Amino acid sequence: MKNRLSAVMVVGMILMSFLIGSCGGGETGPLTAKSVLVDAKGVKVAEATLTETPQGVKIVVKAENLPPGIHGFHIHEKGVCAAPDFAAAGGHFNPFGKKHGLKSSLGPHAGDLPNIYVGPDGKGALEATATLVTLKAGKPNSLFQPGGTSLVIHANPDDDFTDPAGNAGARIACGVISK
């Protein structure tokens, strides 16, 4: 009787594991990613966490050692951050073929984000949701494309309109988006 009861318990536990796993109860939480942004000298100047939400990808950035002022901030189409100019990161992430700018009637690029403000102490922070991207693999707007994607901080503010990059100027920091 004791062995039979043990066998029934083992079968029950196996069935419960299967049911929990197939119903989503075994999930470990939302999809997340990160990016460490460096300047042209390779010095870390910002760190970003990215989290999948029902509204899009929430991006939280903490920056330091940056020039004071307002800086354009974008998701770029390639996961390559080669100094000194970070040109290898390509253009803004734009899987839907839109024009640049959060204020453009023909846009925005999926990678267009709000500007980041950096104070006189060189520190800044930003929390924004990129509504046109996902961290889910296999989607055309996934940030996990073959070749990757990156986050870039520019020297000047993005005017949120001018194509292709909002007159944001030189790229001063870059970080590959990774799991």
Side-chain angles (χ1 to χ4, degrees), residues 31-125:
L31 296 172
T32 61
K34 62 184 174 181
S35 180
V36 175
L37 290 83
V38 298
D39 65 13
K41 295 177 183 173
V43 175
K44 176 183 165 185
V45 295
E47 191 165 336
T49 57
L50 297 86
T51 306
E52 182 78 26
T53 73
Q55 295 77 31
V57 175
K58 179 180 174 182
I59 303 172
V60 177
V61 181
K62 292 183 181 176
E64 60 187 4
N65 301 318
L66 284 171
I70 301 172
H71 300 278
F73 180 58
H74 308 110
I75 302 167
H76 281 248
E77 66 187 346
K78 296 179 184 170
V80 182
C81 289
D85 61 4
F86 306 117
H92 295 178
F93 185 58
N94 190 18
F96 306 119
K98 299 287 187 173
K99 295 290 183 184
H100 172 79
L102 295 173
K103 295 178 183 174
S104 170
S105 62
L106 301 174
H109 296 151
D112 290 346
L113 298 169
N115 290 315
I116 185 169
Y117 173 77
V118 177
D121 61 356
K123 294 182 180 181

Side-chain angles (χ1 to χ4, degrees), residues 100-168:
H100 172 79
L102 295 173
K103 295 178 183 174
S104 170
S105 62
L106 301 174
H109 296 151
D112 290 346
L113 298 169
N115 290 315
I116 185 169
Y117 173 77
V118 177
D121 61 356
K123 294 182 180 181
L126 175 71
E127 186 173 309
T129 300
T131 60
L132 300 174
V133 301
T134 184
L135 297 177
K136 297 174 185 170
K139 305 276 186 184
N141 61 333
S142 174
L143 297 182
F144 295 117
Q145 297 291 322
T149 57
S150 58
L151 293 175
V152 172
I153 297 174
H154 292 262
N156 303 320
D158 183 333
D159 66 16
D160 289 325
F161 185 76
T162 306
D163 201 49
N167 288 324

